[in-house]
Amino acid sequence: MINEVLEKLLADEAVSAAELKSLLDIVDPIEEKVLFDAAYATKRKFVGNKTFFRGIIECSNICVKDCFYCGIRKSNKNSARFQMDEDEIFREAMWAFDAKYGSIAIQSGERQDAAYIDLIERVLKRIKSATDGKLGVTLSLGEQTKETYQCWRDAGAHRYLLRIETTNPELYRQLHPADHSLEERMQCLTFLKETGYQVGTGVLIGFPNQTTLDLANDLLFLKAIDVDMIGMGPYILHKETPLGQTVAPYDDAKNEEMLHLGLRMIAVARLLLKDVNIAATTALQTLSNTGREQGLLAGANIIMPNVTETKYRPSYQLYENKPAIDENSETSRQSLQQRVESIGEIVGFNEWGDSRHFFNRNLKPAS
Ligand code: SAH
């Protein structure tokens, strides 16, 4: 079954959710290696051997949402809230630019008020003008109106990440309060596409009640909506959240299981979607020190080193044990570069490393 499904994927034939599930369910390490090698070869063929860095700036943990899994949800009274000002965000962006990262990603909790929309617009314009348009900017600032997306696009951002979290409506309801809507989040992905962004989305992997069939359907959804970028990672608990309180702390065996499910998701996503950008996310690194490199070998091509000022990092805990290592330094930048090079990849310094899929889909005649 596994070889047949791999052959179908490599031949770009249609596959069913059950077929994808069979790959996500692999337990045998030898079969898993076959899967990862096929995904890695597909990556090399469609997007090459360059890994791109996006310096991530976590500019605020203030959030109007109350997602049951997330440590910065508004009801978590133990989270010390912070908001970087324009100068702080700008400074970190310039650090990433000087470090030749090529792109940054600005992420925060969700705020839709005018002051916040203006702050982001101002900082985008300032970054674009100071770098002569050379620093690529991805945003990950949650659900917004189409006008806000347009405003930030006009101010210079050109990629946006908004995870759908899960495409199963029942699971979505279990993860969120009643006023959080899967349909509205989907609508936001449409707005992002209409306003000209390269659009990234993804899901949480391995939370309670989710099955590998759900994950297989999630992957088919990513393909169906023709995404340009994928950011997804294992669910990791945070004790001060409703969901985190229902889950037993992960032991080594559970860490390993979650890491490998995350890696298989990357591999199957690469085999199914081919020319998209896929991030080896920080959650993988939380589960294993080499989680991100393993992600690259399973088909990912993007790493998002944290460039947030160290003093703010303890407050941006979406989940526990988020690696707080100081990546905002020359030494760790070099060590990350060495780690990427040690697996035979090269770092695409000073390049945007845009999604090839974005350009390929825009070349297609309108249907
Ligand atoms: N507020 C923005 C961006 C910040 S949250 C947004 O909603 O898009 C970024 C991502 O962190 C979320 O999409 C979610 O998938 C992930 N996340 C939140 N809590 C997590 C947890 N406990 N474990 C793993 N990932 C988590």
Side-chain angles (χ1 to χ4, degrees), residues 63 69-72 107-110 140-143 161-163 165 185 203-204 233-238 283 316 318-319:
C63 194
Y69 45 87
C70 182
I72 65 168
Q107 188 180 82
S108 73
E110 200 167 290
S140 174
L141 306 172
E143 293 170 40
L161 296 171
L162 183 76
R163 289 188 182 175
E165 316 296 1
R185 213 162 167 88
V203 294
L204 275 170
Y235 164 69
I236 296 170
L237 58 143
H238 189 299
Y316 200 82
L318 306 175
Y319 45 80

PDB file of all heavy atoms in Angstrom, residues 63 69-72 107-110 140-143 161-163 165 185 203-204 233-238 283 316 318-319, ligand 1:
ATOM      1  N   CYS A  63      -3.984  39.709  22.949  1.00  0.00           N
ATOM      2  CA  CYS A  63      -4.824  38.940  22.036  1.00  0.00           C
ATOM      3  C   CYS A  63      -6.293  39.048  22.408  1.00  0.00           C
ATOM      4  O   CYS A  63      -6.649  38.946  23.581  1.00  0.00           O
ATOM      5  CB  CYS A  63      -4.393  37.467  22.048  1.00  0.00           C
ATOM      6  SG  CYS A  63      -5.104  36.539  20.680  1.00  0.00           S
ATOM      7  N   TYR A  69      -6.169  26.185  23.321  1.00  0.00           N
ATOM      8  CA  TYR A  69      -4.847  25.545  23.371  1.00  0.00           C
ATOM      9  C   TYR A  69      -3.711  26.537  23.569  1.00  0.00           C
ATOM     10  O   TYR A  69      -2.588  26.141  23.839  1.00  0.00           O
ATOM     11  CB  TYR A  69      -4.613  24.782  22.054  1.00  0.00           C
ATOM     12  CG  TYR A  69      -4.993  25.581  20.826  1.00  0.00           C
ATOM     13  CD1 TYR A  69      -4.090  26.448  20.230  1.00  0.00           C
ATOM     14  CD2 TYR A  69      -6.281  25.510  20.283  1.00  0.00           C
ATOM     15  CE1 TYR A  69      -4.443  27.220  19.125  1.00  0.00           C
ATOM     16  CE2 TYR A  69      -6.646  26.272  19.180  1.00  0.00           C
ATOM     17  CZ  TYR A  69      -5.724  27.123  18.613  1.00  0.00           C
ATOM     18  OH  TYR A  69      -6.093  27.882  17.538  1.00  0.00           O
ATOM     19  N   CYS A  70      -3.972  27.824  23.403  1.00  0.00           N
ATOM     20  CA  CYS A  70      -2.879  28.792  23.242  1.00  0.00           C
ATOM     21  C   CYS A  70      -2.572  29.546  24.539  1.00  0.00           C
ATOM     22  O   CYS A  70      -3.471  30.081  25.193  1.00  0.00           O
ATOM     23  CB  CYS A  70      -3.238  29.771  22.136  1.00  0.00           C
ATOM     24  SG  CYS A  70      -1.928  30.971  21.824  1.00  0.00           S
ATOM     25  N   GLY A  71      -1.296  29.618  24.872  1.00  0.00           N
ATOM     26  CA  GLY A  71      -0.854  30.236  26.117  1.00  0.00           C
ATOM     27  C   GLY A  71      -1.066  31.741  26.194  1.00  0.00           C
ATOM     28  O   GLY A  71      -1.077  32.312  27.288  1.00  0.00           O
ATOM     29  N   ILE A  72      -1.244  32.416  25.039  1.00  0.00           N
ATOM     30  CA  ILE A  72      -1.461  33.869  25.111  1.00  0.00           C
ATOM     31  C   ILE A  72      -2.940  34.230  24.915  1.00  0.00           C
ATOM     32  O   ILE A  72      -3.279  35.374  24.625  1.00  0.00           O
ATOM     33  CB  ILE A  72      -0.542  34.650  24.141  1.00  0.00           C
ATOM     34  CG1 ILE A  72      -0.849  34.338  22.674  1.00  0.00           C
ATOM     35  CG2 ILE A  72       0.933  34.363  24.441  1.00  0.00           C
ATOM     36  CD1 ILE A  72      -0.162  35.318  21.687  1.00  0.00           C
ATOM     37  N   GLN A 107       4.893  38.471  13.908  1.00  0.00           N
ATOM     38  CA  GLN A 107       3.765  37.700  14.457  1.00  0.00           C
ATOM     39  C   GLN A 107       3.314  38.300  15.774  1.00  0.00           C
ATOM     40  O   GLN A 107       4.116  38.875  16.518  1.00  0.00           O
ATOM     41  CB  GLN A 107       4.194  36.243  14.677  1.00  0.00           C
ATOM     42  CG  GLN A 107       3.023  35.355  15.050  1.00  0.00           C
ATOM     43  CD  GLN A 107       3.441  33.907  15.258  1.00  0.00           C
ATOM     44  OE1 GLN A 107       3.922  33.552  16.309  1.00  0.00           O
ATOM     45  NE2 GLN A 107       3.231  33.080  14.252  1.00  0.00           N
ATOM     46  N   SER A 108       2.036  38.145  16.084  1.00  0.00           N
ATOM     47  CA  SER A 108       1.529  38.621  17.378  1.00  0.00           C
ATOM     48  C   SER A 108       0.207  37.948  17.684  1.00  0.00           C
ATOM     49  O   SER A 108      -0.361  37.243  16.844  1.00  0.00           O
ATOM     50  CB  SER A 108       1.310  40.144  17.338  1.00  0.00           C
ATOM     51  OG  SER A 108       0.173  40.451  16.568  1.00  0.00           O
ATOM     52  N   GLY A 109      -0.283  38.206  18.882  1.00  0.00           N
ATOM     53  CA  GLY A 109      -1.670  37.882  19.195  1.00  0.00           C
ATOM     54  C   GLY A 109      -2.550  38.740  18.294  1.00  0.00           C
ATOM     55  O   GLY A 109      -2.050  39.554  17.517  1.00  0.00           O
ATOM     56  N   GLU A 110      -3.843  38.538  18.385  1.00  0.00           N
ATOM     57  CA  GLU A 110      -4.722  39.235  17.442  1.00  0.00           C
ATOM     58  C   GLU A 110      -5.265  40.531  18.042  1.00  0.00           C
ATOM     59  O   GLU A 110      -5.769  40.534  19.158  1.00  0.00           O
ATOM     60  CB  GLU A 110      -5.879  38.289  17.093  1.00  0.00           C
ATOM     61  CG  GLU A 110      -6.565  38.648  15.820  1.00  0.00           C
ATOM     62  CD  GLU A 110      -7.465  37.504  15.373  1.00  0.00           C
ATOM     63  OE1 GLU A 110      -6.957  36.447  14.967  1.00  0.00           O
ATOM     64  OE2 GLU A 110      -8.686  37.681  15.456  1.00  0.00           O
ATOM     65  N   SER A 140       1.924  37.563  10.310  1.00  0.00           N
ATOM     66  CA  SER A 140       1.153  36.490  10.930  1.00  0.00           C
ATOM     67  C   SER A 140       0.425  37.126  12.110  1.00  0.00           C
ATOM     68  O   SER A 140       0.807  36.991  13.264  1.00  0.00           O
ATOM     69  CB  SER A 140       2.102  35.380  11.387  1.00  0.00           C
ATOM     70  OG  SER A 140       1.415  34.386  12.110  1.00  0.00           O
ATOM     71  N   LEU A 141      -0.606  37.903  11.759  1.00  0.00           N
ATOM     72  CA  LEU A 141      -1.269  38.763  12.748  1.00  0.00           C
ATOM     73  C   LEU A 141      -2.755  38.436  12.858  1.00  0.00           C
ATOM     74  O   LEU A 141      -3.554  39.274  13.281  1.00  0.00           O
ATOM     75  CB  LEU A 141      -1.071  40.248  12.370  1.00  0.00           C
ATOM     76  CG  LEU A 141       0.400  40.689  12.166  1.00  0.00           C
ATOM     77  CD1 LEU A 141       0.469  42.114  11.613  1.00  0.00           C
ATOM     78  CD2 LEU A 141       1.185  40.622  13.474  1.00  0.00           C
ATOM     79  N   GLY A 142      -3.104  37.223  12.459  1.00  0.00           N
ATOM     80  CA  GLY A 142      -4.460  36.753  12.721  1.00  0.00           C
ATOM     81  C   GLY A 142      -5.504  37.232  11.725  1.00  0.00           C
ATOM     82  O   GLY A 142      -5.194  37.655  10.611  1.00  0.00           O
ATOM     83  N   GLU A 143      -6.758  37.132  12.176  1.00  0.00           N
ATOM     84  CA  GLU A 143      -7.896  37.463  11.319  1.00  0.00           C
ATOM     85  C   GLU A 143      -8.111  38.966  11.286  1.00  0.00           C
ATOM     86  O   GLU A 143      -8.161  39.608  12.336  1.00  0.00           O
ATOM     87  CB  GLU A 143      -9.161  36.774  11.858  1.00  0.00           C
ATOM     88  CG  GLU A 143      -9.096  35.268  11.735  1.00  0.00           C
ATOM     89  CD  GLU A 143     -10.223  34.562  12.486  1.00  0.00           C
ATOM     90  OE1 GLU A 143     -11.370  35.048  12.454  1.00  0.00           O
ATOM     91  OE2 GLU A 143      -9.937  33.531  13.118  1.00  0.00           O
ATOM     92  N   LEU A 161       0.720  34.467   6.877  1.00  0.00           N
ATOM     93  CA  LEU A 161       0.480  33.134   7.441  1.00  0.00           C
ATOM     94  C   LEU A 161      -0.726  33.175   8.357  1.00  0.00           C
ATOM     95  O   LEU A 161      -0.770  33.968   9.296  1.00  0.00           O
ATOM     96  CB  LEU A 161       1.662  32.695   8.311  1.00  0.00           C
ATOM     97  CG  LEU A 161       3.022  32.497   7.657  1.00  0.00           C
ATOM     98  CD1 LEU A 161       4.081  32.273   8.732  1.00  0.00           C
ATOM     99  CD2 LEU A 161       2.963  31.294   6.717  1.00  0.00           C
ATOM    100  N   LEU A 162      -1.692  32.342   8.074  1.00  0.00           N
ATOM    101  CA  LEU A 162      -2.870  32.229   8.938  1.00  0.00           C
ATOM    102  C   LEU A 162      -3.268  30.758   8.972  1.00  0.00           C
ATOM    103  O   LEU A 162      -3.867  30.239   8.026  1.00  0.00           O
ATOM    104  CB  LEU A 162      -4.017  33.088   8.397  1.00  0.00           C
ATOM    105  CG  LEU A 162      -5.272  33.113   9.259  1.00  0.00           C
ATOM    106  CD1 LEU A 162      -5.092  34.007  10.489  1.00  0.00           C
ATOM    107  CD2 LEU A 162      -6.473  33.602   8.459  1.00  0.00           C
ATOM    108  N   ARG A 163      -2.932  30.105  10.061  1.00  0.00           N
ATOM    109  CA  ARG A 163      -3.257  28.679  10.129  1.00  0.00           C
ATOM    110  C   ARG A 163      -4.750  28.477  10.305  1.00  0.00           C
ATOM    111  O   ARG A 163      -5.381  29.167  11.093  1.00  0.00           O
ATOM    112  CB  ARG A 163      -2.549  28.041  11.330  1.00  0.00           C
ATOM    113  CG  ARG A 163      -1.064  27.925  11.165  1.00  0.00           C
ATOM    114  CD  ARG A 163      -0.533  27.111  12.316  1.00  0.00           C
ATOM    115  NE  ARG A 163       0.903  26.984  12.279  1.00  0.00           N
ATOM    116  CZ  ARG A 163       1.596  26.398  13.244  1.00  0.00           C
ATOM    117  NH1 ARG A 163       0.972  25.903  14.319  1.00  0.00           N
ATOM    118  NH2 ARG A 163       2.908  26.298  13.163  1.00  0.00           N
ATOM    119  N   GLU A 165      -5.792  25.740  11.522  1.00  0.00           N
ATOM    120  CA  GLU A 165      -5.714  24.944  12.768  1.00  0.00           C
ATOM    121  C   GLU A 165      -6.285  23.531  12.620  1.00  0.00           C
ATOM    122  O   GLU A 165      -5.642  22.561  12.979  1.00  0.00           O
ATOM    123  CB  GLU A 165      -6.347  25.647  13.982  1.00  0.00           C
ATOM    124  CG  GLU A 165      -6.013  27.136  14.155  1.00  0.00           C
ATOM    125  CD  GLU A 165      -4.538  27.448  14.409  1.00  0.00           C
ATOM    126  OE1 GLU A 165      -3.723  26.527  14.449  1.00  0.00           O
ATOM    127  OE2 GLU A 165      -4.208  28.637  14.550  1.00  0.00           O
ATOM    128  N   ARG A 185     -12.496  32.214   9.383  1.00  0.00           N
ATOM    129  CA  ARG A 185     -11.061  32.042   9.169  1.00  0.00           C
ATOM    130  C   ARG A 185     -10.780  31.641   7.710  1.00  0.00           C
ATOM    131  O   ARG A 185      -9.840  32.121   7.096  1.00  0.00           O
ATOM    132  CB  ARG A 185     -10.514  30.991  10.154  1.00  0.00           C
ATOM    133  CG  ARG A 185      -9.082  31.286  10.598  1.00  0.00           C
ATOM    134  CD  ARG A 185      -8.682  30.538  11.849  1.00  0.00           C
ATOM    135  NE  ARG A 185      -7.245  30.609  12.066  1.00  0.00           N
ATOM    136  CZ  ARG A 185      -6.604  31.551  12.723  1.00  0.00           C
ATOM    137  NH1 ARG A 185      -7.260  32.558  13.265  1.00  0.00           N
ATOM    138  NH2 ARG A 185      -5.300  31.532  12.866  1.00  0.00           N
ATOM    139  N   VAL A 203      -1.953  23.510  10.046  1.00  0.00           N
ATOM    140  CA  VAL A 203      -2.787  22.992  11.126  1.00  0.00           C
ATOM    141  C   VAL A 203      -1.952  22.635  12.349  1.00  0.00           C
ATOM    142  O   VAL A 203      -0.737  22.500  12.270  1.00  0.00           O
ATOM    143  CB  VAL A 203      -3.574  21.736  10.666  1.00  0.00           C
ATOM    144  CG1 VAL A 203      -4.588  22.111   9.596  1.00  0.00           C
ATOM    145  CG2 VAL A 203      -2.645  20.636  10.167  1.00  0.00           C
ATOM    146  N   LEU A 204      -2.660  22.495  13.457  1.00  0.00           N
ATOM    147  CA  LEU A 204      -2.073  21.925  14.665  1.00  0.00           C
ATOM    148  C   LEU A 204      -2.110  20.404  14.502  1.00  0.00           C
ATOM    149  O   LEU A 204      -3.121  19.851  14.066  1.00  0.00           O
ATOM    150  CB  LEU A 204      -2.919  22.299  15.873  1.00  0.00           C
ATOM    151  CG  LEU A 204      -2.647  23.651  16.530  1.00  0.00           C
ATOM    152  CD1 LEU A 204      -3.748  23.938  17.547  1.00  0.00           C
ATOM    153  CD2 LEU A 204      -1.286  23.663  17.200  1.00  0.00           C
ATOM    154  N   GLY A 233       2.620  22.503  12.877  1.00  0.00           N
ATOM    155  CA  GLY A 233       3.508  21.895  13.853  1.00  0.00           C
ATOM    156  C   GLY A 233       2.726  21.154  14.909  1.00  0.00           C
ATOM    157  O   GLY A 233       1.502  21.325  15.053  1.00  0.00           O
ATOM    158  N   PRO A 234       3.421  20.282  15.652  1.00  0.00           N
ATOM    159  CA  PRO A 234       2.758  19.501  16.692  1.00  0.00           C
ATOM    160  C   PRO A 234       2.140  20.386  17.776  1.00  0.00           C
ATOM    161  O   PRO A 234       2.692  21.442  18.110  1.00  0.00           O
ATOM    162  CB  PRO A 234       3.902  18.665  17.283  1.00  0.00           C
ATOM    163  CG  PRO A 234       4.972  18.653  16.254  1.00  0.00           C
ATOM    164  CD  PRO A 234       4.854  19.947  15.516  1.00  0.00           C
ATOM    165  N   TYR A 235       1.013  19.939  18.281  1.00  0.00           N
ATOM    166  CA  TYR A 235       0.402  20.575  19.448  1.00  0.00           C
ATOM    167  C   TYR A 235       1.270  20.283  20.671  1.00  0.00           C
ATOM    168  O   TYR A 235       1.650  19.127  20.904  1.00  0.00           O
ATOM    169  CB  TYR A 235      -1.016  20.033  19.672  1.00  0.00           C
ATOM    170  CG  TYR A 235      -1.545  20.354  21.060  1.00  0.00           C
ATOM    171  CD1 TYR A 235      -1.859  21.667  21.413  1.00  0.00           C
ATOM    172  CD2 TYR A 235      -1.667  19.364  22.036  1.00  0.00           C
ATOM    173  CE1 TYR A 235      -2.284  21.976  22.696  1.00  0.00           C
ATOM    174  CE2 TYR A 235      -2.106  19.662  23.315  1.00  0.00           C
ATOM    175  CZ  TYR A 235      -2.408  20.980  23.637  1.00  0.00           C
ATOM    176  OH  TYR A 235      -2.810  21.282  24.910  1.00  0.00           O
ATOM    177  N   ILE A 236       1.565  21.336  21.418  1.00  0.00           N
ATOM    178  CA  ILE A 236       2.332  21.174  22.657  1.00  0.00           C
ATOM    179  C   ILE A 236       1.534  21.821  23.776  1.00  0.00           C
ATOM    180  O   ILE A 236       0.974  22.911  23.590  1.00  0.00           O
ATOM    181  CB  ILE A 236       3.724  21.827  22.501  1.00  0.00           C
ATOM    182  CG1 ILE A 236       4.484  21.070  21.409  1.00  0.00           C
ATOM    183  CG2 ILE A 236       4.498  21.797  23.815  1.00  0.00           C
ATOM    184  CD1 ILE A 236       5.744  21.710  20.972  1.00  0.00           C
ATOM    185  N   LEU A 237       1.446  21.153  24.928  1.00  0.00           N
ATOM    186  CA  LEU A 237       0.510  21.712  25.887  1.00  0.00           C
ATOM    187  C   LEU A 237       1.049  22.933  26.623  1.00  0.00           C
ATOM    188  O   LEU A 237       2.257  23.154  26.708  1.00  0.00           O
ATOM    189  CB  LEU A 237       0.034  20.659  26.880  1.00  0.00           C
ATOM    190  CG  LEU A 237       1.059  19.937  27.713  1.00  0.00           C
ATOM    191  CD1 LEU A 237       0.514  19.702  29.097  1.00  0.00           C
ATOM    192  CD2 LEU A 237       1.376  18.616  27.046  1.00  0.00           C
ATOM    193  N   HIS A 238       0.102  23.723  27.078  1.00  0.00           N
ATOM    194  CA  HIS A 238       0.396  24.854  27.948  1.00  0.00           C
ATOM    195  C   HIS A 238      -0.565  24.696  29.127  1.00  0.00           C
ATOM    196  O   HIS A 238      -1.781  24.684  28.932  1.00  0.00           O
ATOM    197  CB  HIS A 238       0.162  26.162  27.194  1.00  0.00           C
ATOM    198  CG  HIS A 238       0.652  27.363  27.945  1.00  0.00           C
ATOM    199  ND1 HIS A 238       0.170  27.719  29.183  1.00  0.00           N
ATOM    200  CD2 HIS A 238       1.615  28.271  27.642  1.00  0.00           C
ATOM    201  CE1 HIS A 238       0.812  28.800  29.609  1.00  0.00           C
ATOM    202  NE2 HIS A 238       1.692  29.158  28.697  1.00  0.00           N
ATOM    203  N   ALA A 283       7.948  24.409  16.971  1.00  0.00           N
ATOM    204  CA  ALA A 283       7.390  23.343  17.810  1.00  0.00           C
ATOM    205  C   ALA A 283       8.171  22.039  17.622  1.00  0.00           C
ATOM    206  O   ALA A 283       8.330  21.254  18.562  1.00  0.00           O
ATOM    207  CB  ALA A 283       5.904  23.139  17.509  1.00  0.00           C
ATOM    208  N   TYR A 316       6.109  35.381  25.396  1.00  0.00           N
ATOM    209  CA  TYR A 316       5.438  34.902  24.187  1.00  0.00           C
ATOM    210  C   TYR A 316       5.432  33.382  24.191  1.00  0.00           C
ATOM    211  O   TYR A 316       6.022  32.724  23.348  1.00  0.00           O
ATOM    212  CB  TYR A 316       6.117  35.453  22.926  1.00  0.00           C
ATOM    213  CG  TYR A 316       5.225  35.395  21.704  1.00  0.00           C
ATOM    214  CD1 TYR A 316       4.274  36.380  21.459  1.00  0.00           C
ATOM    215  CD2 TYR A 316       5.314  34.343  20.799  1.00  0.00           C
ATOM    216  CE1 TYR A 316       3.442  36.316  20.352  1.00  0.00           C
ATOM    217  CE2 TYR A 316       4.492  34.272  19.690  1.00  0.00           C
ATOM    218  CZ  TYR A 316       3.559  35.265  19.468  1.00  0.00           C
ATOM    219  OH  TYR A 316       2.735  35.199  18.359  1.00  0.00           O
ATOM    220  N   LEU A 318       3.341  30.479  23.546  1.00  0.00           N
ATOM    221  CA  LEU A 318       2.123  29.888  22.984  1.00  0.00           C
ATOM    222  C   LEU A 318       1.932  28.517  23.607  1.00  0.00           C
ATOM    223  O   LEU A 318       0.833  28.031  23.772  1.00  0.00           O
ATOM    224  CB  LEU A 318       2.247  29.744  21.476  1.00  0.00           C
ATOM    225  CG  LEU A 318       2.599  31.008  20.693  1.00  0.00           C
ATOM    226  CD1 LEU A 318       2.809  30.683  19.238  1.00  0.00           C
ATOM    227  CD2 LEU A 318       1.524  32.056  20.854  1.00  0.00           C
ATOM    228  N   TYR A 319       3.079  27.889  23.946  1.00  0.00           N
ATOM    229  CA  TYR A 319       3.073  26.567  24.578  1.00  0.00           C
ATOM    230  C   TYR A 319       4.310  26.485  25.451  1.00  0.00           C
ATOM    231  O   TYR A 319       5.193  27.360  25.385  1.00  0.00           O
ATOM    232  CB  TYR A 319       3.076  25.464  23.509  1.00  0.00           C
ATOM    233  CG  TYR A 319       4.043  25.694  22.387  1.00  0.00           C
ATOM    234  CD1 TYR A 319       5.398  25.401  22.534  1.00  0.00           C
ATOM    235  CD2 TYR A 319       3.622  26.247  21.184  1.00  0.00           C
ATOM    236  CE1 TYR A 319       6.288  25.643  21.507  1.00  0.00           C
ATOM    237  CE2 TYR A 319       4.511  26.492  20.148  1.00  0.00           C
ATOM    238  CZ  TYR A 319       5.842  26.185  20.314  1.00  0.00           C
ATOM    239  OH  TYR A 319       6.727  26.429  19.304  1.00  0.00           O
TER     240      TYR A 319
HETATM  241  N1  SAH B   1      -2.584  35.234  16.472  1.00  0.00           N
HETATM  242  C1  SAH B   1      -2.051  34.848  15.220  1.00  0.00           C
HETATM  243  C2  SAH B   1      -0.631  34.351  15.248  1.00  0.00           C
HETATM  244  C3  SAH B   1      -0.077  33.844  16.548  1.00  0.00           C
HETATM  245  S1  SAH B   1      -0.469  32.202  17.010  1.00  0.00           S
HETATM  246  C4  SAH B   1      -2.944  33.836  14.564  1.00  0.00           C
HETATM  247  O1  SAH B   1      -3.930  33.425  15.162  1.00  0.00           O
HETATM  248  O2  SAH B   1      -2.741  33.510  13.411  1.00  0.00           O
HETATM  249  C5  SAH B   1       0.477  31.269  15.864  1.00  0.00           C
HETATM  250  C6  SAH B   1       0.209  29.777  15.872  1.00  0.00           C
HETATM  251  O3  SAH B   1       0.689  29.194  17.058  1.00  0.00           O
HETATM  252  C7  SAH B   1      -1.249  29.386  15.852  1.00  0.00           C
HETATM  253  O4  SAH B   1      -1.765  29.447  14.550  1.00  0.00           O
HETATM  254  C8  SAH B   1      -1.232  27.979  16.441  1.00  0.00           C
HETATM  255  O5  SAH B   1      -1.314  26.991  15.425  1.00  0.00           O
HETATM  256  C9  SAH B   1       0.125  27.903  17.155  1.00  0.00           C
HETATM  257  N2  SAH B   1      -0.079  27.499  18.553  1.00  0.00           N
HETATM  258  C10 SAH B   1      -0.819  28.115  19.489  1.00  0.00           C
HETATM  259  N3  SAH B   1      -0.854  27.380  20.610  1.00  0.00           N
HETATM  260  C11 SAH B   1      -0.114  26.271  20.382  1.00  0.00           C
HETATM  261  C12 SAH B   1       0.208  25.109  21.144  1.00  0.00           C
HETATM  262  N4  SAH B   1      -0.254  24.956  22.384  1.00  0.00           N
HETATM  263  N5  SAH B   1       1.009  24.172  20.580  1.00  0.00           N
HETATM  264  C13 SAH B   1       1.480  24.317  19.333  1.00  0.00           C
HETATM  265  N6  SAH B   1       1.192  25.376  18.554  1.00  0.00           N
HETATM  266  C14 SAH B   1       0.398  26.341  19.070  1.00  0.00           C
END
